[in-house]
């Protein structure tokens, strides 16, 4: 079998690209992992039996070398001001040189609500909308994967970090807004399943959320039940949350604007959505917040990075 190309593979433990590589290798499938730097994360990927190549997704030569001989492609990249260039470079090379049997694109659920006249989204969300448009024109055998906000996203990692210090979930949801965050492990499992057997999925878009939409107090109650101790919900005004909880993370400006916009859209109740994409692809329900907390209790000690 020809190797499966996985981009964005050098993320931290629990990141989608890295988890996709690990899952495919456990299934005995050949994987080529594209990374930006040959460091300890690249060495960890090699330890799984994956072939690791170093390259820049914005350079056609690097992408062409990584794609050579690959029949299936996963494109994923962290929040970056180079996202649009990288995605279109990868798609253009795949269309001209590789002709893969599937091109799995990591998008996000917000994109399904956007149109040409929308202005309230983040720069990252607009780039991802543009990439979906271009892939639709490309003629490539595309599968769109559209997760909602990740539980590992700084929005929730910052909100849940207060559990360790104050037994509270701090989020700017307002009095009635609801949300349904999804676990990165679920998203990675969906991507790996599509790459392992792409034919039934080509041309489809899968929207991925958690198992239910909940308001802030319901989220805190689920965290409380998972940890076996009282956890309250603290509703934080949006501007205060951005300055006090988000800005200290020191995110790059592009990522900061993206997360701040996601927080605002949460306060506007734009994330009150439920979709069953995880079950459609994997045959099991999505992971709930309580189960995620039980498996990742150590992550509640502090926020992560985009």
């Amino acid at each position: 079998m020809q190797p499966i190309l996985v981009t964005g593979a050098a993320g931290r433990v629990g990141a989608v690209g890295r988890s996709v590589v690990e899952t495919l290798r456990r299934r005995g499938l050949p994987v080529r992992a594209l990374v930006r730097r040959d460091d300890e994360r690249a060495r960890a990927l090699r330890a799984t039996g994956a072939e690791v190549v170093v390259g820049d997704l914005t350079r056609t030569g690097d992408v062409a070398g990584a794609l050579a001989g690959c029949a299936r492609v996963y494109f994923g990249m962290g929040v970056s001001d180079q996202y649009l260039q990288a995605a279109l470079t990868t798609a253009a090379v795949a269309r001209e040189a590789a002709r893969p049997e599937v091109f799995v694109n990591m998008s996000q659920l917000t994109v399904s609500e956007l149109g040409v006249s929308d202005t309230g989204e983040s720069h990252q969300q607009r780039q991802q909308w543009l990439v979906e448009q271009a892939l639709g024109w490309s003629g490539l055998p595309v599968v769109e994967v559209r997760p909602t906000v990740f539980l590992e996203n700084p929005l929730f990692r910052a909100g849940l970090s207060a559990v360790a210090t104050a037994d509270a979930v701090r989020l700017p949801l307002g009095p009635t807004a609801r949300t349904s965050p999804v676990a990165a492990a679920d998203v990675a499992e969906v991507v790996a399943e599509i790459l392992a057997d792409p034919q039934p999925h080509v041309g489809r878009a899968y929207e991925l959320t958690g198992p239910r939409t909940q308001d802030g107090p319901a989220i805190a109650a689920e965290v409380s039940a998972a940890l076996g101790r009282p956890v309250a919900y603290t509703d934080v005004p949006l501007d205060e949350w951005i300055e006090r909880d988000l800005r200290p993370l020191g995110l790059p400006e592009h990522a900061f604007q993206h997360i701040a916009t996601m927080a605002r859209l949460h306060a506007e109740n734009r994330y009150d959505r439920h979709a069953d994409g995880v079950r459609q692809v994997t045959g099991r329900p999505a992971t709930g917040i309580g189960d995620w907390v039980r498996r990742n209790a150590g992550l509640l000690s502090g926020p992560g990075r985009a």
Side-chain angles (χ1 to χ4, degrees), residues 271-282:
Y271 280 81
D272 183 11
R273 298 180 63 182
H274 174 260
D276 207 24
V278 173
R279 187 192 297 271
Q280 290 174 22
V281 178
T282 68

Side-chain angles (χ1 to χ4, degrees), residues 139-208:
L140 288 167
V142 175
V143 180
E144 296 288 358
V145 178
R146 297 174 180 159
T148 187
V149 60
F150 285 22
L151 277 161
E152 293 81 359
N153 185 283
L155 173 63
F156 276 89
R157 290 285 298 278
L160 292 171
S161 67
V163 172
T165 58
D167 282 330
V169 175
R170 286 176 50 89
L171 287 170
L173 298 183
T176 60
R178 300 164 69 90
T179 186
S180 55
V182 68
D186 286 354
V187 178
E189 187 178 342
V190 166
V191 171
E193 187 64 35
I194 294 168
L195 290 168
D197 183 20
Q199 198 55 47
H201 307 287
V202 170
R204 300 190 64 178
Y206 292 102
E207 299 187 342
L208 314 180

Side-chain angles (χ1 to χ4, degrees), residues 14-197:
V16 171
R18 178 181 177 138
S19 297
V20 168
V21 171
E22 294 169 347
T23 301
L24 292 174
R25 288 302 304 141
R26 284 195 296 269
R27 297 176 70 157
L29 296 171
V31 178
R32 181 178 296 162
L34 178 61
V35 300
R36 184 69 182 269
R37 287 177 291 275
D38 196 343
D39 54 18
E40 69 279 356
R41 295 174 298 177
R43 291 190 288 275
L45 292 169
R46 288 192 182 96
T48 70
E51 175 190 1
V52 177
V53 296
V54 179
D56 185 335
L57 284 168
T58 67
R59 297 179 179 175
T60 55
D62 289 1
V63 175
L67 272 169
C70 292
R72 304 172 189 178
V73 181
Y74 164 67
F75 179 82
M77 185 179 185
V79 175
S80 169
D81 57 6
Q82 292 186 303
Y83 173 86
L84 180 61
Q85 182 181 357
L88 295 185
T89 298
T90 305
V93 174
R95 183 176 184 271
E96 181 170 325
R99 299 290 179 177
E101 61 180 296
V102 68
F103 189 106
V104 181
N105 179 52
M106 179 59 64
S107 186
Q108 59 179 282
L109 186 56
T110 318
V111 168
S112 65
E113 296 182 333
L114 298 183
V116 294
S117 60
D118 289 288
T119 59
E121 73 279 1
S122 72
H123 302 318
Q124 179 72 25
Q125 288 164 338
R126 174 54 58 175
Q127 288 187 54
Q128 291 188 285
W129 180 83
L130 287 169
V131 168
E132 283 207 17
Q133 305 312 300
L135 288 174
W137 306 328
S138 70
L140 288 167
V142 175
V143 180
E144 296 288 358
V145 178
R146 297 174 180 159
T148 187
V149 60
F150 285 22
L151 277 161
E152 293 81 359
N153 185 283
L155 173 63
F156 276 89
R157 290 285 298 278
L160 292 171
S161 67
V163 172
T165 58
D167 282 330
V169 175
R170 286 176 50 89
L171 287 170
L173 298 183
T176 60
R178 300 164 69 90
T179 186
S180 55
V182 68
D186 286 354
V187 178
E189 187 178 342
V190 166
V191 171
E193 187 64 35
I194 294 168
L195 290 168
D197 183 20

